[in-house]
Amino acid sequence: MLNSWRSKITSVFKQDYFFSSFLLVIYALVHENFPFSAAILLLIVYGCKHRLSIVMIIMMLLINLPLANLSTPNSYQGKIIDVKANYYIVKLCDQKILLYTEQKLNYDQRISFTGKYELIKGESTNYGFDFAAFNDRQHIHYQIKAADIKVINQAFSLRSYLLARVDQPYIHKFIFNINSDDDLISNFVSCGYSFGGFIYLILQLLSIKLKPHTLKKIEGLMLGFFAVFYHFNYVASRMLLAYALRRTSCNSKQKASVLAYFTLIFFPWNIFSLKFLLPYGINIIYALKYDKRWIIIYNILLQSYLFAKVNIILLFGYKYLIKILGLCFCISVLGLFMDVSYIMTLINQFMAYLELFVIYQSSKSYFFALFFILVYQCFKQKLTLIIISLLVFLATGSSFPYACVSYINVGQGDAILIQDHFKQATYLIDTGKPSSYRKLDTFLQAKGIKKIDILFISHYDSDHCGNLNRLLQDYQILRVVDYHFTKLIDKLTFYDLNDHYPEKNENSLVLYTMINGQGLLFTGDAHVKNELAIIEKYPLLSCDYLKLGHHGSKTSSAQGFLHTLRPKLALISSGNFSYYQHPHPTIINLLRNMHIPYLVTNNEGDIEIYFTFLGEIITTSSRKISFVFNPNLLNHDIIRTR
């Protein structure tokens, strides 16, 4: 009877769902950016070569149902389902939220609280970790700074019992997965590779005495224990399913398709995470019998897509990392009974060195994908060459071989990076405030910058010069210009259009330069007084790209100034509007009335302008892109000729 049921279940798994599951996963990843018609297109593609599967049609429809309730939660009671380094994940009746509090809470507690729900806001950036996107992929949209938290009841579980009695950080990290979100190593821990490595090490040790049949039973018991311990979360359930599939005669394609459908049906929002994409991608590569080096290429693309950075050690030392994480899990288990902190200190020091091998990369770099496709077409079977090319491409930055001006999203402050053609020269205008150094540093590293030819400091407000000392320590800066000048000739020629004034903001450097015949003006925190003096001194002055003064404040951007310049685009670098009131509504209305398009870093994130011989490509980290056709091969000196 048991064998009969086993054969029936196996026959279901052996159906050819591989191609349909593969299309489903691809569609699930892109369906938010494409209309419902994309589902019909995929069904047509599928139906051209295969008999239409009713399962796939049903799944397509389910994916497009409004499963996500995006309305503001109205419940102030919930259950803590996960614990992170600085917040908790609380399950309400139909949603999950992030709960911030200084109060120490535990797994499986049912709590009541008060506070104001807010949408999770991330710092939109081309380079670096986007916290809002990370949570959005997990179907978490709201956060709350909770007050008046009361524990209604504490459900008993082994994990809550242990967490209440241990406070060693390494136990929290490797057993309870209490990690940060933007750390690649922590993400591998949360994917289950720590207790997976632990099981591997235990089985290797027991294999000295026990037979393979007995080892398989022990593996099943351990996986079952971890499934109960972690309350059958996705990782534990996935590993238990993989163990069950190994006990059947399913081939690699069938296993991959079962994993895909299992995730889409029971844990649909995990398809956007490393927990699913890494093992599923590896299963696909094995199922299609591709060269194993494709795993490295896939890992590069996956890390870049999810975390906007790539760790070289995790590419080539993936198998060894799992064993190291397993060892850390073993030591953490011992830490429940004895003091092993000195051992974990050594291991943590070793793990810290892994961060030295990180290459930052844009998670939204379409040029990166295009480059990969072109390399593959040129060198189809030379995978090692492709891998080396990709890593060199990443290490040297992902920008085009054209001049580029980047308005970096550093919140309330200015930081503008200018790179000449083929990176012949690099200039930075202002540095942002000290709290934004990580964003600035990440951006510069992503661009492959080690040396800055000239660092301009427009004036000494902290939101313009706050990271000067840090940059001098971490980068090779050939020259700092924080004084007025008339003309400065380097690879690019810069003009300072402002005069000396006693007031700090009014004394800002107002810098003008040209790239590919296009004029760019950077006004610092200059006031209306400065702007009117400049157009009086240079009545024929015009510019194509204008960085508005003082973050869009009403103390700058005089109507006469804008009328004289008539820029093609106005750029505004500002922080949270509700706090700073920048850009001021008066200025926004003025720009609209004058039909001057504008972009604000607070809304768009990083704004980059690439200067090609046919025109400018404008991209933002909010996924906006525009092309301005403007062929001009002559680089005129506007100031001198006018």
Side-chain angles (χ1 to χ4, degrees):
M1 183 70 176
L2 182 61
N3 290 334
S4 174
W5 276 103
R6 179 180 293 180
S7 62
K8 289 180 180 179
I9 294 173
T10 303
S11 66
V12 173
F13 288 161
K14 285 187 176 181
Q15 297 297 319
D16 187 15
Y17 296 131
F18 173 73
F19 187 70
S20 62
S21 68
F22 183 68
L23 284 180
L24 274 175
V25 170
I26 293 175
Y27 180 67
L29 289 171
V30 303
H31 82 281
E32 290 186 354
N33 298 320
F34 291 90
F36 179 77
S37 56
I40 306 301
L41 179 62
L42 281 178
L43 284 172
I44 294 173
V45 171
Y46 181 69
C48 291
K49 294 185 178 180
H50 300 268
R51 191 168 50 127
L52 282 175
S53 167
I54 189 65
V55 177
M56 185 174 181
I57 295 174
I58 293 172
M59 289 301 299
M60 284 286 191
L61 294 173
L62 285 176
I63 289 173
N64 281 279
L65 287 177
L67 299 176
N69 181 8
L70 295 179
S71 60
T72 305
N74 54 18
S75 173
Y76 286 90
Q77 287 189 10
K79 181 181 179 181
I80 297 175
I81 60 173
D82 206 354
V83 179
K84 294 294 183 181
N86 56 353
Y87 61 89
Y88 300 90
I89 299 180
V90 177
K91 180 70 162 59
L92 305 179
C93 52
D94 60 347
Q95 293 191 54
K96 291 185 290 184
I97 66 162
L98 305 185
L99 186 141
Y100 290 88
T101 177
E102 297 295 328
Q103 186 174 334
K104 189 174 181 180
L105 302 172
N106 203 340
Y107 289 104
D108 310 313
Q109 286 180 338
R110 185 160 189 82
I111 61 172
S112 64
F113 52 89
T114 60
K116 182 181 178 181
Y117 288 104
E118 298 177 345
L119 281 170
I120 298 173
K121 293 183 179 180
E123 295 292 345
S124 184
T125 174
N126 279 338
Y127 309 95
F129 180 72
D130 190 334
F131 184 67
F134 172 83
N135 283 284
D136 190 57
R137 290 195 294 263
Q138 300 180 84
H139 190 34
I140 304 175
H141 308 287
Y142 289 95
Q143 62 185 5
I144 185 170
K145 293 181 180 179
D148 301 325
I149 298 176
K150 297 178 181 178
V151 178
I152 299 174
N153 63 63
Q154 169 72 69
F156 176 79
S157 65
L158 182 58
R159 64 176 180 175
S160 62
Y161 175 82
L162 291 176
L163 183 61
R165 285 157 179 78
V166 297
D167 58 358
Q168 290 88 341
Y170 58 88
I171 295 178
H172 287 180
K173 180 171 185 175
F174 293 105
I175 293 183
F176 298 104
N177 299 331
I178 301 176
N179 303 305
S180 62
D181 294 318
D182 59 344
D183 180 4
L184 280 173
I185 303 298
S186 295
N187 272 279
F188 271 77
V189 171
S190 65
C191 286
Y193 292 112
S194 54
F195 69 81
F198 169 74
I199 292 174
Y200 171 82
L201 293 177
I202 295 297
L203 293 178
Q204 288 292 308
L205 184 63
L206 295 177
S207 65
I208 300 173
K209 293 289 185 180
L210 301 179
K211 295 180 180 179
H213 182 70
T214 306
L215 290 175
K216 289 181 180 178
K217 290 183 178 180
I218 294 175
E219 181 184 4
L221 290 172
M222 295 176 72
L223 286 169
F225 170 79
F226 282 120
V228 173
F229 182 81
Y230 292 113
H231 285 220
F232 288 90
N233 65 8
Y234 172 66
V235 172
S237 301
R238 185 203 74 212
M239 295 181 70
L240 197 58
L241 175 62
Y243 169 79
L245 290 174
R246 289 200 304 270
R247 306 278 289 179
T248 69
S249 57
C250 296
N251 59 36
S252 298
K253 285 187 176 182
Q254 292 156 355
K255 292 176 183 177
S257 62
V258 170
L259 173 63
Y261 279 111
F262 169 77
T263 305
L264 285 164
I265 293 171
F266 297 105
F267 300 92
W269 300 106
N270 279 282
I271 60 170
F272 303 99
S273 69
L274 187 71
K275 303 171 186 178
F276 169 75
L277 291 174
L278 183 59
Y280 180 73
I282 293 174
N283 287 345
I284 292 293
I285 291 170
Y286 279 119
L288 298 177
K289 298 181 180 179
Y290 283 174
D291 190 302
K292 291 183 179 179
R293 286 174 293 180
W294 276 102
I295 295 176
I296 298 176
I297 296 174
Y298 176 71
N299 208 336
I300 293 174
L301 295 172
L302 190 59
Q303 289 187 40
S304 177
Y305 169 70
L306 292 177
F307 307 109
K309 55 187 175 182
V310 175
N311 192 307
I312 303 296
I313 300 299
L314 298 186
L315 298 179
F316 301 100
Y318 167 74
K319 293 183 178 180
Y320 303 104
L321 175 69
I322 292 176
K323 296 174 183 177
I324 293 173
L325 293 178
L327 178 62
C328 292
F329 195 96
C330 288
I331 297 172
S332 299
V333 171
L334 291 175
L336 295 172
F337 309 101
M338 61 177 64
D339 183 15
V340 293
S341 56
Y342 61 96
I343 301 177
M344 289 307 303
T345 300
L346 295 175
I347 293 178
N348 282 331
Q349 289 176 352
F350 167 76
M351 301 282 270
Y353 285 113
L354 298 182
E355 289 298 315
L356 300 176
F357 298 90
V358 168
I359 299 174
Y360 292 92
Q361 169 61 28
S362 171
S363 60
K364 304 176 181 69
S365 178
Y366 301 104
F367 180 71
F368 173 64
L370 176 62
F371 178 84
F372 169 72
I373 294 170
L374 291 175
V375 171
Y376 172 65
Q377 290 297 324
C378 295
F379 309 100
K380 283 193 175 180
Q381 298 303 321
K382 300 177 182 178
L383 291 181
T384 302
L385 180 60
I386 293 175
I387 293 170
I388 294 173
S389 300
L390 286 172
L391 292 177
V392 169
F393 177 72
L394 286 170
T396 55
S398 62
S399 60
F400 289 103
Y402 302 109
C404 177
V405 177
S406 304
Y407 300 80
I408 306 172
N409 180 25
V410 291
Q412 183 70 12
D414 278 6
I416 303 165
L417 177 68
I418 303 174
Q419 291 178 288
D420 196 13
H421 304 79
F422 297 102
K423 298 187 178 180
Q424 296 180 76
T426 299
Y427 311 99
L428 183 65
I429 301 175
D430 291 334
T431 71
K433 53 189 175 184
S435 60
S436 65
Y437 182 72
R438 185 180 180 185
K439 301 176 193 173
L440 176 63
D441 183 49
T442 298
F443 197 99
L444 295 177
Q445 289 189 53
K447 290 287 189 177
I449 292 172
K450 307 296 181 186
K451 181 185 72 172
I452 297 173
D453 294 273
I454 301 176
L455 171 57
F456 293 97
I457 301 296
S458 64
H459 64 295
Y460 277 91
D461 274 348
S462 63
D463 59 337
H464 290 257
C465 68
N467 295 305
L468 174 59
N469 292 332
R470 292 287 301 275
L471 287 172
L472 289 172
Q473 292 174 5
D474 298 343
Y475 292 85
Q476 181 186 1
I477 298 178
L478 302 185
R479 186 176 179 183
V480 176
V481 174
D482 57 357
Y483 50 85
H484 286 288
F485 60 91
T486 303
K487 184 176 181 179
L488 193 157
I489 301 176
D490 199 73
K491 294 291 183 181
L492 294 179
T493 300
F494 290 89
Y495 300 88
D496 175 21
L497 307 187
N498 204 13
D499 294 322
H500 291 276
Y501 290 89
E503 200 275 328
K504 186 164 48 176
N505 285 349
E506 293 179 0
N507 197 45
S508 295
L509 299 182
V510 176
L511 301 173
Y512 183 93
T513 190
M514 295 199 71
I515 301 175
N516 277 18
Q518 303 301 297
L520 295 102
L521 188 61
F522 311 93
T523 56
D525 278 355
H527 284 195
V528 169
K529 174 182 178 180
N530 308 104
E531 296 171 346
L532 297 179
I534 288 171
I535 59 174
E536 182 179 354
K537 186 176 182 180
Y538 304 103
L540 298 179
L541 177 67
S542 67
C543 83
D544 299 280
Y545 297 96
L546 169 66
K547 203 287 295 183
L548 291 191
H550 206 183
H551 320 290
S553 166
K554 63 181 180 180
T555 61
S556 303
S557 304
Q559 184 173 358
F561 183 66
L562 296 176
H563 186 270
T564 299
L565 297 182
R566 284 289 177 181
K568 291 191 293 190
L569 180 67
L571 292 307
I572 305 172
S573 179
S574 68
N576 192 325
F577 176 78
S578 62
Y579 186 83
Y580 296 101
Q581 300 296 305
H582 291 159
H584 197 275
T586 303
I587 301 302
I588 296 300
N589 289 332
L590 178 61
L591 293 173
R592 289 173 177 170
N593 292 335
M594 298 183 69
H595 305 290
I596 299 174
Y598 63 91
L599 293 172
V600 186
T601 57
N602 183 44
N603 299 326
E604 310 299 342
D606 299 326
I607 303 167
E608 297 183 88
I609 305 174
Y610 296 93
F611 294 83
T612 75
F613 62 94
L614 289 176
E616 295 85 61
I617 300 171
I618 305 170
T619 68
T620 73
S621 50
S622 63
R623 299 185 180 182
K624 290 182 179 178
I625 185 169
S626 178
F627 179 74
V628 181
F629 182 71
N630 185 33
N632 188 348
L633 301 180
L634 300 177
N635 212 340
H636 297 292
D637 189 332
I638 296 295
I639 300 295
R640 185 175 59 201
T641 57
R642 294 185 177 181

